[in-house]
Amino acid sequence: MKFFLDTANIKDIKKAKSLGILDGITTNPTLISKEYLVYDEKKIIKHYINICNLLEDESDLSVEVISNTYIEMIKEGKKISKLHPKIVVKIPMTEDGIKAIKYLSNNGIKTNCTLVFSPLQALLAAKSGAEYVSPFIGRLDDLSYNGIFLLKEIMNIYKNYNFKTKILAASIRNPIHISECAKIGIYAVTAPIKVIRTLIENPLTKIGLDKFLNDYNKKKY
Ligand code: E4P
């Protein structure tokens, strides 16, 4: 399973990269707004390029458009994609968004269809030619729907029609989300660094390690 980091924070990206398990980055307008107090287009562009330069060969960075009409999304998508070859253009699941995904993918620009909450939205994303679809499972769970169940439905639909769109499970809130994704064979998850850390830590590992070292050190060889 691929691990993406859901952040625009360079320090977090460097930390995840040092673990050797980083397959890509996803950002969104909220995440980028956390990095800057004032909007500065030049700085933000440089920021995206810096992130791309930190990534390994097969990895990519999803950058979301902030426009919401077909024409503007295409214009912005083309501009974003020219910044760096590792950039995938993130487009929201709207009527204009679907048209923009179709146009961009027909023109060789990879897209990530974001803000997906239903199997039918995911079906449309795949039919439009999206490289990735991002179902937001945590936000569904927050409303008492079942995010993992949605992923299973999307996997089933994609299998029925042999769609090549990759499922990138998003809005990951906890380690259970990640283990459930792994059990059903999801292509990738995108999570904040604090969730990735919870995969490493276990109190029994710490207790066990402390005891091993304690036993070893109290003996005089
Ligand atoms: C995905 O691409 C989004 O950036 C993200 O996962 C949203 O997660 P949130 O629900 O924690 O904001």
Side-chain angles (χ1 to χ4, degrees), residues 127-146:
K127 273 186 76 66
S128 316
E131 176 79 7
Y132 295 102
V133 64
S134 292
F136 279 33
I137 67 169
R139 291 192 195 185
L140 276 175
D141 287 0
D142 292 345
L143 297 180
S144 299
Y145 290 95
N146 187 327

Side-chain angles (χ1 to χ4, degrees), residues 8 14 45 61 68 90-91 126 135 142:
K14 286 185 176 164
I45 287 176
L61 163 70
N68 53 19
K90 216 172 172 192
I91 308 268
D142 292 345

Side-chain angles (χ1 to χ4, degrees), residues 6 26 28 31 90 136 139 170-171 173 190:
D6 199 27
T26 54
N28 63 40
L31 293 172
K90 216 172 172 192
F136 279 33
R139 291 192 195 185
S171 185
R173 304 257 194 268
T190 185

Side-chain angles (χ1 to χ4, degrees), residues 138-197:
R139 291 192 195 185
L140 276 175
D141 287 0
D142 292 345
L143 297 180
S144 299
Y145 290 95
N146 187 327
I148 297 296
F149 185 71
L150 169 66
L151 295 178
K152 287 183 189 162
E153 289 184 309
I154 298 173
M155 282 180 83
N156 205 5
I157 290 171
Y158 282 13
K159 197 169 145 230
N160 288 343
Y161 299 100
N162 204 18
F163 283 126
K164 297 285 174 266
T165 301
K166 297 162 182 150
I167 304 173
L168 175 48
S171 185
I172 298 283
R173 304 257 194 268
N174 55 54
I176 295 171
H177 276 153
I178 299 185
S179 63
E180 291 303 313
C181 283
K183 281 190 256 177
I184 61 173
I186 281 295
Y187 176 81
V189 290
T190 185
I193 191 115
K194 67 170 195 280
V195 177
I196 305 276
R197 278 224 183 82

